[in-house]
Amino acid sequence: GEPFAVPANIALTLNAKADNVIYDKVEYKNVQGTLALKNETVSMNDVKMEALGGTIALNGSYSTRDSKKKPAISLGYDLKGLDVQKTFYAFNTVQKLMPIGQFIAGSLTSNLTMKGRLGEEMMPDLGTLTGEGALFLIDGFLSKFKPLEKMASTLNIESLQAISLKDIKTQFEFANGKVLIKKPFTVKIKDIEMEIG
């Protein structure tokens, strides 16, 4: 469908607080923050909530001032202790940008700043996204990942079937519709060191 056009003739500021909000099958608790509407732009300021096993802090905007067909978006988030699997299945964007998430069990802490545009069906146009962030896997396992299973069976190394991702920290950026790891990180399995990039 067509993107929602922010009205040009309305200016308002809304300070909101809710104990419980259910949106798109995800339950958010202790939601609070400010929503402002001005100059055909909706802004979220200091929005905080508890969800998906952790806490979420958000700032961002959605604007149809420059284009009604491809709204401009900006997003900044600070996530602490979110369950990787729940987060992956809760958000389509995470599924597109981080498909390996479906094979990771554990909890993550992450921050991000990003700008871009929405395309059809109000989904982010991946080619327009620019930004950067950091991802910290406090604890986790990568398993049921076919390339890894194949490598484990070919090399006859059973410990490759489930890799511990404890205390992994990496920085990433968006460019040309892809997520790029800025600094490769090392994972050690017994005597084997793997550099992931």
Side-chain angles (χ1 to χ4, degrees):
E2 289 282 304
F4 163 72
V6 182
N9 58 347
I10 296 177
L12 67 86
T13 301
L14 179 68
N15 294 308
K17 196 169 188 178
D19 292 336
N20 212 33
V21 175
I22 296 175
Y23 177 74
D24 201 19
K25 295 184 271 190
V26 178
E27 187 176 6
Y28 301 93
K29 294 182 178 177
N30 300 320
V31 181
Q32 57 184 333
T34 303
L35 199 67
L37 195 154
K38 190 177 182 181
N39 296 329
E40 297 180 63
T41 301
V42 178
S43 301
M44 291 186 303
N45 301 310
D46 298 322
V47 175
K48 295 178 178 144
M49 65 199 80
E50 297 164 18
L52 303 166
T55 61
I56 301 172
L58 296 170
N59 286 287
S61 65
Y62 168 94
S63 179
T64 51
R65 187 174 51 208
D66 300 332
S67 170
K68 305 289 182 266
K69 299 275 185 197
K70 294 194 168 187
I73 56 167
S74 72
L75 175 68
Y77 71 53
D78 194 358
L79 313 176
K80 291 194 184 341
L82 266 62
D83 182 285
V84 178
Q85 291 275 297
K86 287 178 183 173
T87 304
F88 176 83
Y89 288 108
F91 305 115
N92 290 336
T93 307
V94 175
Q95 292 170 30
K96 285 193 163 92
L97 294 174
M98 194 178 125
I100 201 168
Q102 66 188 297
F103 305 108
I104 297 174
S107 60
L108 68 88
T109 290
S110 178
N111 59 61
L112 164 88
T113 56
M114 178 178 73
K115 289 185 177 180
R117 294 200 172 268
L118 295 183
E120 293 179 14
E121 304 297 323
M122 295 285 284
M123 290 296 292
D125 177 351
L126 299 183
T128 69
L129 296 182
T130 59
E132 58 184 13
L135 179 70
F136 181 37
L137 282 164
I138 301 160
D139 59 71
F141 276 93
L142 175 63
S143 60
K144 299 191 178 105
F145 184 46
K146 291 284 181 223
L148 211 53
E149 288 181 342
K150 181 78 174 160
M151 198 161 67
S153 114
T154 304
L155 299 174
N156 198 22
I157 303 172
E158 196 174 309
S159 56
L160 282 177
Q161 289 187 6
I163 293 181
S164 171
L165 298 175
K166 187 173 177 60
D167 296 338
I168 298 290
K169 187 167 188 176
T170 187
Q171 293 179 313
F172 58 89
E173 65 183 340
F174 298 98
N176 303 316
K178 294 180 181 171
V179 180
L180 306 171
I181 294 173
K182 288 168 86 169
K183 292 181 183 172
F185 57 91
T186 303
V187 175
K188 192 167 185 178
I189 308 133
K190 295 188 177 175
D191 298 330
I192 304 168
E193 276 196 2
M194 299 171 71
E195 189 176 81
I196 298 177

